[in-house]
Amino acid sequence: MVPNTPPAPSPSVADSSETAPARLARDASILEARDLTKVFRTGDRDVEVLRGISLKVRRGEFVAVMGPSGSGKSTLLQLLGGLDRPTSGEVILDGEVVSRLSDREATRLRREKTGFVFQFFNLIPLLDVYENVALPFTIAGEDPRRGETAARIKDVLEMVGLSGRERSRPDQLSAGEQQRVALARALAGSPALLLADEPTGNLDYATGGEILDQLWRSCDQRGQTIVLVTHDARAAAHADRVLVLGDGKIRDEIQLGRRTDRDARPLITRLAQLGL
Amino acid sequence: MRRLSSLAWRNLQARLLRSLLTAAGVALGVAVLFASLSASATMDAAVARAAADEMGHSALRVQALEERGLSAATVAVVTRASGVAVAAPALERQTYLAASLTASPSAKLPAPVTVLGIDPVAEPKLHDLPLSGGRLLTAADSSSAVITETLASQEGLRIGDSIALNGSGSGPASLAIVGIVTGDGSVPDAAGRLVIAPLSTAQTLFAVTGVTRVDLGTRPGVSADELMGQLEATIQTEPYLLEKTADTADSLRADTADFRGTLLLVAAVVLFAGAFLIFNTLSMTVTERSRDVGLLRAAGATRTQVMGLVLLQALVLGVAGSIVGVVAGIGLSSLTLSWVNSTGPISLDAPDISLGSVSLALLIGVLVTLAASLEPAWRAGRIPPVEALRRGPRGAVAGAARLRWLVLVFAVLAVAALAVWPSGASGGAGVSLGSGGQTLQFGILGPLAVYGLMLVAVLIVPPILGPLLWLAGIPLRVFRNEERLARSSLARDVSRTTLTAGALVMGLAMVVALGTAAQNIRQIGANWLTETIPGSELLTSIHSISPTDPSIEEIAALSGVKSVSPIGLLGVPLGGLRQEAAAISGADFAADGRLVFVEGGGDSATAFAALDTGGAVIVPRSLANGSNIRLGDTMSFATGETPTTLRVVGIVAHSIPAGSQEAILIGWTDAMGPFGASGADVFAIRFQPGQESTARPAVDATASQYALESADLGSVQGTVGDALDRVFRLLDAMALIAVLVAGLGMVNTLSMSVLERVREIGVLRATGMSSRQVWAMVVMEAGMLGFAGSLIGAAVGLLAGGLLVAWSSGGFGLTFDPPWVSIALAVVFGILISVTASIYPAGVASRQSIVRALQHE
């Protein structure tokens, strides 16, 4: 896994002593989408969900994608993560053109370079906490109970605050705990990119906040690159940058910068100006 | 979890009931398969043992064809052949124990005994005669005998007792018992009632000079085939048959091949039903776990890994089910063999449980399971990673996928069945008519056509299922909501419903097909006798009686008797093989009007007159077609130095059944002339119209005085029918297992259906539906499905039964006569099985907590 470097702070607090190479490394994109479109056929009608979206995400950046229901944000996430293919356009992740990969290669890419957190936890009910977190390693044929792998799993479980709950099954966990397991699983492989689709959509206010804080810490302290899809401004406020989708296009881009307070008010004000 | 593969095991455990039911379905299919393989092997072994017992260590047997036997001159020629090391002549005749006859002259005739006259010196060199007491015969013995354990036990005889035998000479002969051999002895037709005496003693008893057979041991370096060549060149004076041990086994094996083939067909149907169960179960698992599979794919699992998980689950089910199936199959095989009890004269022992049968059953069970799981596995591998984001399960299986799967499993089973198809003289499947061995053959195409019909039936289920379900719902409309909801639930996943009904269709179809075939074949058997025997009562004798014997004339003179027609059954040499023949009175048959001459097969009056004159033969259509014989042709029989030539004067649709053939018909002049017959062993009695009931008792009493056993044609038909019924009842029981497998599938399907509707059921309960109504809804679903499946199964079964009958009716011109009562019972049974299968899922559905159901995702 390529270590992530922290993102550039918002222009308002840029450090003028930064060296050029450091700035270059900081500015390197890990994810790029070029003119993405996605058309779904429903019955005898074609529905164009995405209409030529282009974006870049730098290493260690936390980007949120917002928009009203039906704006195509989940579809965009699926394309960025290689879960689906665009009708046209390209997705480049860590130098590989995802949209042109065969199923086998895309599978490898997902295994090695991406982690997913879904709205509905998506834990395997037959596996315990440890096994769910270890799933990417087991799929890759590694023994998750030995060596570095075991250490890594232990580390992420500690990070999400679930040490001691390794043997619990999903039905023995609260909703928040289940989502933390999902987060640990996504982070365990130190992916180049973590994609989260409405990770707090099924959680209460306080629990959702905990999850978002953990996401932010993984980005801030470990340099994890994150793309978060949400309709919740409070969640999006954790990001460094917010892309607002509407009618399948990027309507606006809001720079928030890396902030320890993660106050949502500036974002809400801006969204209100956009009429959202 | 160290390996992804252990997820397969956990999936099976998570749905334990479903896994157990599926494994049980596999087990049932493999049990029937193993039972058929084991029964087949046991019959084979019994036949081989009987042949070996009969032939002993002899390499070749010279068998007399004529009743008078092989002459002393022929025996001498045979003994002197250069390749012969040992020659053991023997005479075989049936008679009665004098004591049993005098005990109650008016009662039913006792069972006869077989007397085997042997050369006491030569015989033990070629035949093992294991003793349980006493000693064997020696050259010095003349009035001694050795009997079998079976006879000793039945008659209460011991060593030192005397045994008096009725003979053809001057009164009973009394022999002293000096030894008892174990078991039934080496003559299968004796049924254990065997008396072994010195050859000369037996010849004197029966007033003959010939022998029935000569068993030969060859010199070192001389093969049986070489010896055959020597003998064929030297024996010219009388007809004979040369048999090797393998030939004996083959002819004994011919009858059983048909039964074994039919059993295998039933096993294939049961396994096919099991395959449906596997497919449905794994399809349900894939549907249920589609989000998990999507997650695995999103996390980087390859399609191959996902497919492997599904196949692994199938393998576990297949192996577990097959092992249990083999164990159950051992019990089923025992039951089968004890029910069948014997194959003609050969009794069956404990089931043959060889490593070969076990391995084959296990292999086929696992292969069928894997074949059945290929499509669900393939589909699982195709689940896209984006599926992980879906809330609900995936949609139903496409029709094309289902078709591919069905054809694949059908092909695998067909290939497996063909690979293990029993080899036999007919090379086909059919049924033997009782111990007489008449065989009605379906041919290999028959079972394949029936099997193919099953496949087609399942494929056409989808379009007709809807209307049938609507029809089934009519009487249930009084329960408005429950009926409507039940019907809509069945329509939710057409593929699953189709396959669940499909298994029931197959099982029911097989039951109905066998029942239909049984009814009609029974009728064919009865018609066969009615069409060929000129009378309504038969008198049989264990030894030949001249047609002009005073006893026969006495019976013919009784009031109410119109005619007594002698029929002599004999073997004649045709083309080096034994051809069954029947000597008849042409005039009797002409007067009687029976025997149907085929178109272009001659005129009956002319043909019958020619028979009585001599030099003529009437052949059955089966032989004429098989050997390309036409009216006017001549047939040559090797009856000694000069062959006997007979002209074909008629071809009949059916002839008198004899052994496993239809007999050619010859006149008494020829029978008692060149063919060496000495008399008739069957007399057909025709009564004056309206006088049968009064004349019969007198006929029976007179016949009994002369040791003639009487039986009316109806009871003979009944015996044949009973033997058929016995066989078909067994096959029906096996086919019912397929219906049981379908029932297991229904439990799985309904359980899954309930699981999918947990929230819906919660809403129904919350809005006022009672738990009893929920229960009724699920039961109705099963009942409607059972009705539809049973109805289709019955229709397909009728068609399949018709195919089997058409194939085997051999031109009897039978009116197709479906057993409607049995069919109705089968349909009711199918519905009952379905309703019973719904009890558990209905209970689960009705007992759900409303709150928890509403919270269910």
Side-chain angles (χ1 to χ4, degrees), chain A:
Chain A
M1 296 291 175
V2 176
N4 292 301
T5 53
S10 63
S12 56
V13 292
D15 183 351
S16 59
S17 66
E18 190 181 25
T19 61
R23 192 160 50 243
L24 264 175
R26 173 175 49 77
D27 288 345
S29 297
I30 194 166
L31 175 69
E32 185 179 348
R34 292 177 188 165
D35 203 24
L36 286 181
T37 63
K38 182 68 181 177
V39 178
F40 289 106
R41 188 153 186 88
T42 50
D44 55 358
R45 263 187 345 122
D46 283 344
V47 178
E48 199 174 8
V49 177
L50 299 178
R51 303 168 192 228
I53 290 196
S54 298
L55 58 88
K56 285 186 186 179
V57 178
R58 293 187 297 277
R59 273 185 210 287
E61 191 179 11
F62 191 155
V63 174
V65 177
M66 286 194 73
S69 182
S71 58
K73 50 188 190 294
S74 289
T75 305
L76 175 62
L77 192 86
Q78 290 161 23
L79 297 181
L80 295 178
L83 296 181
D84 201 357
R85 284 186 188 234
T87 307
S88 67
E90 281 182 344
V91 174
I92 303 158
L93 173 61
D94 204 15
E96 291 193 68
V97 182
V98 176
S99 39
R100 280 201 227 128
L101 294 177
S102 67
D103 179 76
R104 186 189 290 270
E105 289 161 342
T107 303
R108 175 197 49 79
L109 189 83
R110 285 197 300 274
R111 192 164 59 236
E112 293 172 1
K113 297 203 178 179
T114 63
F116 291 91
V117 180
F118 302 106
Q119 180 176 358
F120 294 102
F121 324 131
N122 290 103
L123 302 182
I124 307 276
L126 303 175
L127 308 180
D128 61 30
V129 166
Y130 191 96
E131 289 165 336
N132 264 293
V133 174
L135 196 59
F137 301 104
T138 317
I139 288 170
E142 296 175 34
D143 185 347
R145 308 236 175 221
R146 289 174 190 261
E148 275 183 34
T149 308
R152 177 73 189 145
I153 293 169
K154 195 177 159 193
D155 178 46
V156 292
L157 280 171
E158 207 173 299
M159 192 188 90
V160 300
L162 284 175
S163 293
R165 300 296 303 274
E166 288 86 348
R167 303 303 294 270
S168 301
R169 299 176 79 87
D171 57 4
Q172 294 171 324
L173 304 175
S174 68
E177 287 169 334
Q178 288 187 50
Q179 196 63 304
R180 280 192 266 156
V181 172
L183 181 58
R185 182 185 62 208
L187 290 171
S190 301
L193 176 68
L194 189 148
L195 298 139
D197 185 1
E198 303 273 14
T200 59
N202 223 30
L203 302 173
D204 60 73
Y205 183 88
T207 312
E210 286 171 18
I211 296 296
L212 291 165
D213 286 344
Q214 279 177 347
L215 274 172
W216 186 88
R217 277 198 293 276
S218 72
C219 177
D220 188 57
Q221 293 168 8
R222 297 174 183 231
Q224 179 66 58
T225 311
I226 299 174
V227 173
L228 166 77
V229 159
T230 183
H231 65 275
D232 182 1
R234 187 182 60 96
H238 287 68
D240 305 326
R241 179 161 61 105
V242 177
L243 302 174
V244 180
L245 290 193
D247 286 334
K249 297 182 186 212
I250 297 179
R251 282 180 63 180
D252 199 6
E253 184 175 318
I254 305 167
Q255 296 285 351
L256 297 175
R258 183 69 50 91
R259 299 165 303 136
T260 52
D261 64 354
R262 279 105 66 198
D263 185 5
R265 281 174 296 185
L267 177 62
I268 292 171
T269 305
R270 181 71 187 118
L271 290 171
Q273 288 168 0
L274 290 171
L276 295 170

Side-chain angles (χ1 to χ4, degrees), chain B residues 34 37-38 41 352-364 420:
Chain B
F34 181 80
L37 291 173
S38 170
D352 185 284
I353 304 166
S354 66
L355 187 61
S357 296
V358 170
S359 307
L360 194 56
L362 285 174
L363 179 67
I364 293 175
V420 300

Side-chain angles (χ1 to χ4, degrees), chain B residues 288-517:
Chain B
E288 208 178 31
R289 301 256 175 248
S290 59
R291 259 189 12 197
D292 293 352
V293 172
L295 173 66
L296 287 172
R297 294 278 284 131
T302 62
R303 287 199 172 125
T304 308
Q305 281 178 303
V306 168
M307 277 182 66
L309 279 177
V310 177
L311 288 174
L312 190 56
Q313 286 178 66
L315 188 64
V316 170
L317 291 173
V319 169
S322 296
I323 290 173
V324 171
V326 165
V327 172
I330 293 171
L332 192 57
S333 177
S334 298
L335 279 171
T336 303
L337 291 169
S338 65
W339 181 263
V340 173
N341 184 246
S342 70
T343 165
I346 305 167
S347 61
L348 299 170
D349 296 331
D352 185 284
I353 304 166
S354 66
L355 187 61
S357 296
V358 170
S359 307
L360 194 56
L362 285 174
L363 179 67
I364 293 175
V366 170
L367 276 177
V368 169
T369 308
L370 287 176
S373 62
L374 277 177
E375 205 281 332
W378 174 260
R379 198 157 21 95
R382 291 264 157 252
I383 292 176
V386 73
E387 192 66 29
L389 299 168
R390 268 194 236 277
R391 284 201 70 173
R394 288 170 68 78
V397 179
R402 188 172 61 240
L403 172 64
R404 275 197 307 270
W405 168 82
L406 273 173
V407 172
L408 171 68
V409 174
F410 174 84
V412 166
L413 271 173
V415 167
L418 285 172
V420 300
W421 197 260
S423 61
S426 67
V431 174
S432 293
L433 296 177
S435 61
Q438 299 92 339
T439 305
L440 291 166
Q441 297 161 13
F442 309 147
I444 191 91
L445 290 179
L448 270 181
V450 169
Y451 192 47
L453 187 61
M454 304 283 176
L455 174 68
V456 168
V458 174
L459 292 175
I460 64 168
V461 162
I464 56 179
L465 191 62
L468 277 177
L469 289 176
W470 183 87
L471 202 67
I474 290 175
L476 304 171
R477 295 271 159 86
V478 60
F479 306 102
R480 252 196 316 239
N481 284 325
E482 294 90 312
E483 186 270 335
R484 194 162 44 79
L485 288 167
R487 207 152 26 90
S488 66
S489 171
L490 289 169
R492 186 192 302 258
D493 188 335
V494 174
S495 169
R496 191 167 73 207
T497 303
T498 299
L499 287 173
T500 307
L504 187 61
V505 164
M506 289 196 65
L508 249 295
M510 201 68 222
V511 170
V512 170
L514 289 170
T516 304

